Amino acid sequence: MISLEHVSKTYEAGIPALDDISLHIEPGEFVFITGASGSGKSTLIKLMLNELKASKGTITVGGQNLNKMRHRQVPMFRRRIGTIFQNFRLLPDRNVYENVAFAMRVTESRKRDIQRRVPMVLTLVGLASKYKSLPRQLSGGEQQRVAIARAIVNSPKLILADEPTGNLDNKNAWEVMQLLEKINQDGTTVVVVTHNIEIVKAMKKRVITIKRGCLVSDVEGGTSPKHV
Ligand code: ADP
Ligand code: MG
C-alpha cells in the first residue's frame, strides 16, 4: 500500500527532516508512527499525501509512484486517502451532516448515494443523533469522530491520521483509536502518528519509531517499542 525507498526530505537550507527512510506498509495493516516532537512524523505523512516532494528516494502509495505524479493527478489521488488531523479541520459553519456530505459532493457522488451513505457513517461513529449540530456544539471527541466519518465516507483504502488524539482526553483518545481499529478490521489500511505511548503499548500493533529524521525501530505488535 505504501513503500518508501531511501527517502530523505530537507526543507530549505537545513538538516534533513527525514534521512534515508525505507519502509513498507502492506494493504490491511494498522501501523503506529511515533517519536519525539520535531522528529519528522508530520513530514512523513505529508510525503505520503504528496503535499511535499521527497528530496531523495522513491515513494509509492496505492501503486502510484509519487515522484512521477503530475500536478493534475494529485487531487484525485488525495481523494482516495482518508486524512485525520489533530485539529479536526471541520467546516465551522456547516452542521455534522453537511461536513460529512461535503466530502462526497466534491467527488460528485449522486444525491441518492450521499443520502444513504452519510447516515451510515454517522451511525458507525456514534453520532447519528447529532447530525444537525454545528462543530462548536460538540466536544473534542465528537468533533474528531465527525472528522473520522468524513475520512471514511468515500470508502478509502488508506487512512492517514496525524496525531488524531493530540487534543483529546484519555477517554476520547481511546474511543478514537478503537474506532480506527474497527475501520482497519473492516479492511482499510490505517497509519496513525501518535505520542500516546500508553495506547500504543496497549493496542499491540506494528510501531515505527522515528528519531531526528531516522527510522530507529520497526516492531510488530506486542513487542515493547524502544521509545527514544
Ligand atoms: P513532527 O511531526 O515529528 O513533530 P515535523 O515533521 O513537523 O516533526 O518536523 C520535522 C523537522 O522539520 C523539524 O525540525 C521541523 O522544524 C522541520 N520542519 C517542519 N516543517 C518545516 C517547514 N515547512 N520548513 C522548514 N522546516 C520544517
Ligand atoms: Mg507533527
Side-chain angles (χ1 to χ4, degrees), residues 41-42 162-163 193:
K41 306 178 299 297
S42 293
D162 192 351
E163 308 220 20
V193 167

Side-chain angles (χ1 to χ4, degrees), residues 115-198:
Q115 287 169 344
R116 187 177 48 85
R117 177 76 179 152
V118 175
M120 254 171 70
V121 292
L122 287 177
T123 301
L124 181 78
V125 302
L127 286 175
S129 65
K130 302 232 168 171
Y131 73 99
K132 278 185 175 166
S133 300
L134 289 169
R136 66 168 176 274
Q137 295 168 325
L138 302 176
S139 72
E142 289 170 335
Q143 289 185 56
Q144 194 61 303
R145 285 190 275 140
V146 177
I148 294 172
R150 180 183 57 185
I152 62 172
V153 75
N154 288 318
S155 306
K157 292 195 168 58
L158 172 64
I159 299 268
L160 298 178
D162 192 351
E163 308 220 20
T165 64
N167 283 333
L168 304 181
D169 62 23
N170 210 38
K171 178 175 170 285
N172 282 300
W174 268 109
E175 282 179 16
V176 161
M177 289 296 190
Q178 276 160 0
L179 203 44
L180 290 172
E181 185 174 40
K182 180 174 166 29
I183 291 162
N184 171 251
Q185 283 162 355
D186 292 342
T188 309
T189 309
V190 175
V191 179
V192 183
V193 167
T194 185
H195 269 121
N196 196 321
I197 302 310
E198 190 192 323

